[in-house]
Amino acid sequence: MATATYSPEYLAESRTTVLNIFYSIPIPLEIFSTAFRLWVKARPSSQGHLAFDDYLMVWATMVAVAECIAGLVYGAPNGLGRHIQAVPLEYRQKFLMGDYIFSHFYDVAIASTKLSILALYYRIFATDRFRIIVIITAIFVFMWLVAMEVVLGFGCQPVQGWWDASVAATASCVNKVAFTYSTNVTNLITDLWIFAMPIPIIFNLQASLNKRLALCFLFSIGLGTCALSAARLSVVVSVGSDDITWREVPLGILSAWEPCGGILCANLPLIYRAVVRGIKQIRSTVRTSRTRSRHISTRPNSPYLDWTRLHDGASSNNCATSKVTVTRGLTDQTEMDTIGPNGIKVQRDIKQEFHREDSDKLSDKMFS
């Protein structure tokens, strides 16, 4: 039987650089996102209270980071990203062992992120019927995780059949492609269900249409991760390829980014207010810097930058303004009477009204 020969160019092809980059980027994103969430929740204004969903998110982040590290350790150094004909047999076995470990981390990270989102739903939506649906969904997600781990643990007898070619020849194993397909299909359906769950509740809130649409966007933005799940489903066939170390690169990258996308989307509803507030402060600082650069003089400690000089600096010691009235709006008036050449008395009547809606109560629950 003739042995196939491969050109040096074919054997030299490599995706290892791209692979390592896409395994590395999710690590700081996941850590920063969850750390920011904990910082927001730990602030005095949030009463420094961490809830069960926060602890689940910390656990999900740890597992997702471990998954990326496993990809970096067992992937490219053991042949992932190169054609299998250029990878020695011992490295192939190390790669398949790492792929087995990687799969465990993937399942746990995905399930933990979903459970954290469901715990957040249970905490902020105080509707009995909705909470029952949340509990049933959480039980399904947990049972899905148990089923995946059981199949990974006992799907090959002996278990070394997952990665040892000498054992795989006589081992009894499940169909790896079919198992991976079933994992992704159930995962995709669960994603669609979980991220769509709160939309009917939000539309029934006593709030303006714009606020309800904004809340729907925040809670359903995780549907974007479904695109990653769908893309991953399209490359699942690579696990049965004869050139698995080359063909499985897209699957490995998507498997690292899917938990990352879920974590970012799950953290967004809790950190968006702090992000918006920070952006506004940055804009205000930039405006203030521009104003100072134009040498516009303002009264010290005045909250209004449009109150510039009330007198001519050259004649301030000899002239005094008897009365200045500033009207802001229809009823907001400020009166100033001179009490001397260098002093001003300010009298102002302010009327403030506060209106709170159900959407505000929802935001308070999210941050408490």
Side-chain angles (χ1 to χ4, degrees):
M1 184 175 180
T3 302
T5 57
Y6 301 93
S7 66
E9 293 79 9
Y10 174 84
L11 297 176
E13 288 181 339
S14 177
R15 297 176 174 176
T16 56
T17 301
V18 174
L19 184 69
N20 287 331
I21 290 174
F22 281 96
Y23 273 161
S24 300
I25 294 176
I27 295 176
L29 292 178
E30 292 160 351
I31 293 175
F32 175 77
S33 173
T34 301
F36 193 24
R37 170 182 179 150
L38 297 180
W39 176 80
V40 169
K41 293 295 295 291
R43 292 182 304 169
S45 58
S46 300
Q47 300 177 351
H49 176 67
L50 295 180
F52 187 59
D53 53 289
D54 300 310
Y55 295 113
L56 279 173
M57 183 52 61
V58 171
W59 168 249
T61 302
M62 292 171 59
V63 178
V65 170
E67 178 194 7
C68 292
I69 293 175
L72 290 169
V73 172
Y74 288 100
N78 292 299
L80 183 61
R82 299 182 62 194
H83 291 289
I84 197 167
Q85 293 80 9
V87 181
L89 180 60
E90 60 178 306
Y91 286 98
R92 299 180 198 175
Q93 293 185 358
K94 290 180 180 179
F95 156 70
L96 291 173
M97 180 184 293
D99 187 59
Y100 176 76
I101 297 171
F102 186 90
S103 298
H104 281 289
F105 283 135
Y106 169 81
D107 291 339
V108 176
I110 288 291
S112 299
T113 304
K114 292 177 181 177
L115 290 174
S116 175
I117 295 171
L118 291 170
L120 176 66
Y121 288 173
Y122 186 88
R123 180 167 63 86
I124 65 178
F125 295 106
T127 305
D128 292 338
R129 183 178 178 182
F130 183 78
R131 283 185 166 181
I132 292 173
I133 297 175
V134 169
I135 292 173
I136 294 173
T137 306
I139 292 173
F140 175 82
V141 172
F142 181 76
M143 295 305 297
W144 175 87
L145 175 61
V146 172
M148 295 302 104
E149 291 303 295
V150 168
V151 173
L152 281 174
F154 302 98
C156 267
Q157 294 296 325
V159 69
Q160 289 86 352
W162 284 112
W163 61 82
D164 193 332
S166 60
V167 177
T170 57
S172 175
C173 297
V174 298
N175 188 311
K176 193 173 182 181
V177 175
F179 168 64
T180 310
Y181 264 119
S182 64
T183 300
N184 280 266
V185 170
T186 53
N187 179 43
L188 178 58
I189 294 173
T190 308
D191 281 344
L192 291 170
W193 169 252
I194 289 176
F195 289 114
M197 280 174 62
I199 293 179
I201 302 293
I202 293 173
F203 268 109
N204 289 328
L205 292 176
Q206 298 299 318
S208 65
L209 179 61
N210 288 338
K211 286 188 177 181
R212 283 179 288 167
L213 291 175
L215 286 172
C216 285
F217 174 76
L218 281 174
F219 281 97
S220 62
I221 195 172
L223 291 172
T225 61
C226 296
L228 293 174
S229 300
R232 189 176 185 273
L233 187 61
S234 67
V235 295
V236 162
V237 69
S238 63
V239 300
S241 172
D242 292 334
D243 194 5
I244 187 173
T245 53
W246 178 263
R247 294 286 303 279
E248 200 172 282
V249 169
L251 180 62
I253 291 174
L254 291 171
S255 297
W257 276 88
E258 188 180 350
C260 179
I263 289 171
L264 294 177
C265 293
N267 287 334
L268 182 60
L270 291 103
I271 66 176
Y272 82 98
R273 286 204 303 185
V275 172
V276 171
R277 190 181 300 114
I279 292 173
K280 288 182 178 179
Q281 289 178 350
I282 292 173
R283 288 179 177 176
S284 177
T285 302
V286 171
R287 286 199 197 100
T288 303
S289 299
R290 289 177 178 175
T291 303
R292 290 177 179 175
S293 66
R294 293 172 184 171
H295 304 287
I296 297 179
S297 175
T298 62
R299 288 181 63 246
N301 302 323
S302 172
Y304 301 103
L305 297 179
D306 57 335
W307 287 12
T308 56
R309 298 183 181 181
L310 297 179
H311 57 76
D312 184 0
S315 58
S316 61
N317 294 328
N318 300 320
C319 277
T321 303
S322 60
K323 186 175 183 179
V324 176
T325 301
V326 180
T327 301
R328 304 174 67 84
L330 296 177
T331 60
D332 186 8
Q333 292 188 348
T334 299
E335 294 185 357
M336 299 184 182
D337 296 315
T338 58
I339 58 175
N342 296 318
I344 295 178
K345 179 176 70 175
V346 178
Q347 180 178 351
R348 186 178 187 183
D349 295 327
I350 299 176
K351 181 180 179 181
Q352 293 179 318
E353 295 182 359
F354 296 92
H355 301 276
R356 297 180 64 84
E357 299 181 352
D358 287 354
S359 59
D360 297 322
K361 296 178 182 178
L362 179 61
S363 297
D364 292 338
K365 283 187 178 182
M366 290 163 57
F367 286 90
S368 63

